[in-house]
Amino acid sequence: MPRGKLILVGLGPGAPDQMTGRARQALAEAQVVVGYAKYLDLAGGLIAGKEVIRKGMTQEVDRCRAACQEARQGKTVALVSSGDSGVYGMAALAYELLLASGWRPGAEIDVEVVPGITALSACASLVGAPLGHDFCAISLSDLLTPWPVIARRLEAAARGDFVFALYNPSSGRRRGQLLAARAILLCQRRPDTPVAIVSDAYREGQAVALSTLDHLAACAVGMLSTVLIGNSNSFVAAGRMITPRGYDRKYAGLTGAVKAGERPGRSLDMGLAGFKACVRRHLDQAQGPGLEAVARHFDVPVAEILAAIAEAHGGAGGYAAEAVIPGREAEILQAARGWGRVRVGVESGNGARCELPIDGQDLDLRGDHLCLACGEARLAIDWRRVGHAWFLRHGRGQREAWFVDRAGDALCTLSLDPTDTDPIAHFERAWTHLAIARREP
Ligand code: SAH
């Protein structure tokens, strides 16, 4: 029996001239073509005279099984998807089914994935250049994905200022998802954020509409639409939606003249290497804002600010900091027994702050929690969340220990009472004992 082959072919958005050469070749090679009826129509004359297995919209598993079965009989089978077979297409399902049945590379049948132009590229090309910077694809279909998962991804990407390409935004039975997505995005993004709705790209009935996030609710969006939502820099001009790549950050007026402090071909002044120096300059110039405020200014976890201070020998903005030896964070609590009155500070991350004045003697871990009481007030801190700790000094009186989680966000702080200079010597001893010795250059 000849060797079978399963080719997972992405047909592109629809128009024959948007199909890749390899996709055409694969259809020509195939003895059997399997697919959703509508997609087979896209393949048109390329599949004339072949054995064709047409299946309905929701019969993906059947389509895959049928294709694998044919390939196992030694045939060359094309299983077609619109756009790219690997993007909300048949490729992942086909591999899952094959692997579950014991298939391994080199065995039984060969498998090839033929990439195609996916909807986001096709749709973007019709409205300008809306994907000029970091973007994400999210499907609003809750047929296979629970809504809380979709909602969490929307929120995370909105926070990350990604451009969105929303696949499966709406259908006859699913109208609320797009409105719910819009509500999540409006928590992070301006109402006038540009939006493009592209329907039937490169197919009969192609339609393009430009709107805004605010007005998205009133737009016609269907099963064959992709919704592109801009980031904070996206704009519309002359009927085109553009997301800038960022050249204006480096080059004055896009003329090619490099801005002061920047070098062509090199990382930005605020790139990985330069970023911490920028933080220190900010601390030096601003003189006085709390570390949480500085972290918010740069939109980074507070541990990045502590690291920037610790990295410089002379500190920054009057602050000095040093990381605590990993794994020894809880020893700070023992040391703090000699610090007299301390304030335990907790930030919500949303701007709310709480401080509890207690006696250092009371800093005791009970099981996994640091449980504190001050009069009627109670505070419990889940110690398992502590990722790292830092010592911080500012001016004459301010001495603090910062505990951050694994992401570098503040969990709590311990501050010495600034009116009491006595415990400073105790604090400094703990610092010498527990901090990572600063490496000499
Ligand atoms: N594999 C396909 C995606 C299939 S999911 C791809 O890579 O493009 C189906 C969704 O894709 C639709 O709901 C729509 O959001 C989008 N889509 C597919 N073809 C499209 C087209 N020609 N125009 C606009 N959106 C399209």
Side-chain angles (χ1 to χ4, degrees), residues 13 39 81-85 87-89 117-119 123 166-169 198-203 223-226:
Y39 300 157
S81 294
S82 76
D84 187 301
S85 178
V87 180
Y88 310 117
I117 297 179
T118 187
C123 295
L166 298 180
Y167 283 71
N168 301 300
V198 184
S199 308
D200 283 300
Y202 295 97
R203 291 184 194 169
M223 236 171 85
L224 271 166
S225 311
T226 296

Side-chain angles (χ1 to χ4, degrees), residues 186 189-194 212-215:
L186 275 172
R189 231 160 259 197
R190 291 199 323 265
D192 63 349
T193 300
T212 60
L213 193 51
D214 206 18
H215 290 110

Side-chain angles (χ1 to χ4, degrees), residues 161-423:
D161 201 24
F162 283 87
V163 176
F164 283 87
L166 298 180
Y167 283 71
N168 301 300
S170 183
S171 73
R173 271 191 233 137
R174 289 186 307 106
R175 293 253 165 248
Q177 284 76 357
L178 185 60
L179 293 183
R182 170 182 167 274
I184 293 170
L185 266 57
L186 275 172
C187 296
Q188 315 279 343
R189 231 160 259 197
R190 291 199 323 265
D192 63 349
T193 300
V195 167
I197 297 130
V198 184
S199 308
D200 283 300
Y202 295 97
R203 291 184 194 169
E204 215 178 294
Q206 172 179 301
V208 176
L210 288 175
S211 185
T212 60
L213 193 51
D214 206 18
H215 290 110
L216 180 56
C219 297
V221 181
M223 236 171 85
L224 271 166
S225 311
T226 296
V227 178
L228 303 169
I229 301 173
N231 69 10
S232 58
N233 293 316
S234 303
F235 64 89
V236 171
R240 298 286 186 277
M241 176 172 164
I242 313 294
T243 302
R245 178 81 203 281
Y247 287 97
D248 62 334
R249 248 187 231 284
K250 194 163 203 163
Y251 301 98
L254 296 176
T255 55
V258 182
K259 284 187 179 174
E262 304 293 353
R263 284 179 297 169
R266 297 293 176 85
S267 294
L268 279 179
D269 186 34
M270 268 281 275
L272 176 63
F275 159 67
K276 286 189 177 136
C278 277
V279 170
R280 289 191 289 271
R281 274 201 300 279
H282 178 83
L283 283 161
D284 283 337
Q285 283 157 13
Q287 284 292 339
L291 294 200
E292 288 279 5
V294 177
R296 275 195 292 275
H297 174 83
F298 285 98
D299 197 15
V300 295
V302 75
E304 298 261 352
I305 308 300
L306 285 156
I309 297 169
E311 204 178 79
H313 278 263
Y319 287 103
E322 209 171 350
V324 170
I325 299 164
R328 300 186 68 177
E329 296 82 10
E331 290 179 43
I332 298 171
L333 302 180
Q334 286 155 29
R337 294 173 155 268
W339 296 357
R341 302 290 298 164
V342 294
R343 277 172 300 136
V344 181
V346 184
E347 282 241 8
S348 70
N350 288 327
R353 184 171 171 81
C354 154
E355 282 192 359
L356 208 61
I358 61 154
D359 196 306
Q361 298 280 354
D362 295 335
L363 285 167
D364 235 350
L365 276 178
R366 268 186 241 147
D368 292 325
H369 285 77
L370 180 60
C371 299
L372 304 166
C374 170
E376 291 288 295
R378 298 274 182 282
L379 184 65
I381 296 165
D382 186 348
W383 202 253
R384 289 168 301 184
R385 288 178 171 245
V386 171
H388 296 283
W390 302 76
F391 287 119
L392 182 77
R393 213 186 265 137
H394 192 214
R396 284 171 165 241
Q398 195 178 332
R399 299 288 187 278
E400 294 178 340
W402 282 69
F403 298 93
V404 301
D405 64 17
R406 279 173 199 88
D409 288 313
L411 206 58
C412 64
T413 55
L414 297 183
S415 317
L416 294 198
D417 186 337
T419 59
D420 192 355
T421 52
D422 222 26

